[in-house]
Amino acid sequence: MDISLMGFDTPFFRNLHHILDASDDNTTHNKSTNTGPTRAYVRDARAMAATPADVKEYPNSYVFIVDMPGLKSGDIKVQIEDDNVLVISGERKREHDQEEKEGVKYVRMERRIGKFMRKFALPENANTEKISAICQDGVLTVTVEKLPPPEPKKPKTIQVQVA
């Protein structure tokens, strides 16, 4: 599939498409080579690519907006890694316990299930101690406050003495 036709012709999507195609080739031909990416890497790359997000910068904060339809707040994890990486992750599971008992089967499954994850490198002025997350109507909004700008140093006047 040509990803440039879909409007995703950026280096990130080209590389991701190449990695996913290589992974599919290795699994379909049962090649056991160690030259490709690991299974965990491919899984994480797919989870990240399938979780779109909007990022806004305000004068006093950064806001990350991620669609999470059908998820409860307990299904979503918001974490800080390495002091400056915001990680939003979780898992969407299919509800089938009750349906299996009643003999219901899927005719078509289009809604995405499985793990999802996004990682964002936060800028230096992000205050990782002041982060809030709200999930309302299937939309997760994570707000990261900015640190106040450093006060400019005042010039120091040195008295010139006569020699």
Side-chain angles (χ1 to χ4, degrees):
M1 171 173 52
D2 189 6
I3 61 173
S4 63
L5 296 175
M6 298 172 57
F8 295 120
D9 195 23
T10 64
F12 171 76
F13 282 111
R14 279 193 300 262
N15 288 336
L16 182 62
H17 189 264
H18 174 73
I19 289 169
L20 295 176
D21 281 349
S23 171
D24 289 344
D25 290 346
N26 285 341
T27 56
T28 56
H29 300 306
N30 289 331
K31 294 180 185 176
S32 59
T33 61
N34 291 333
T35 59
T38 65
R39 187 176 267 191
Y41 179 83
V42 172
R43 181 194 67 228
D44 290 349
R46 284 182 175 162
M48 289 177 69
T51 308
D54 295 337
V55 181
K56 296 180 183 179
E57 181 179 5
Y58 290 94
N60 296 324
S61 64
Y62 296 98
V63 177
F64 301 84
I65 303 167
V66 184
D67 289 338
M68 302 279 174
L71 290 177
K72 299 176 182 124
S73 60
D75 298 333
I76 303 167
K77 223 190 279 188
V78 179
Q79 299 173 310
I80 295 291
E81 290 181 351
D82 302 327
D83 293 330
N84 73 333
V85 178
L86 174 68
V87 180
I88 300 171
S89 62
E91 185 171 5
R92 179 176 290 120
K93 298 177 183 176
R94 184 177 355 153
E95 299 173 10
H96 57 79
D97 294 336
Q98 181 66 24
E99 293 173 348
E100 283 182 357
K101 293 176 184 174
E102 297 174 3
V104 176
K105 66 178 183 176
Y106 282 93
V107 175
R108 172 177 281 174
M109 278 184 53
E110 293 182 356
R111 297 184 311 151
R112 189 178 173 280
I113 58 171
K115 293 184 179 184
F116 60 87
M117 174 180 49
R118 280 304 300 264
K119 291 185 178 187
F120 302 95
L122 296 173
E124 290 181 17
N125 67 341
N127 187 351
T128 56
E129 300 300 318
K130 291 192 176 181
I131 298 177
S132 64
I134 299 171
C135 189
Q136 182 177 0
D137 296 333
V139 177
L140 175 68
T141 303
V142 180
T143 303
V144 181
E145 299 293 326
K146 288 183 179 180
L147 292 170
E151 293 186 23
K153 293 184 177 181
K154 296 180 182 178
K156 182 178 179 181
T157 304
I158 301 171
Q159 194 79 10
V160 178
Q161 297 186 9
V162 178

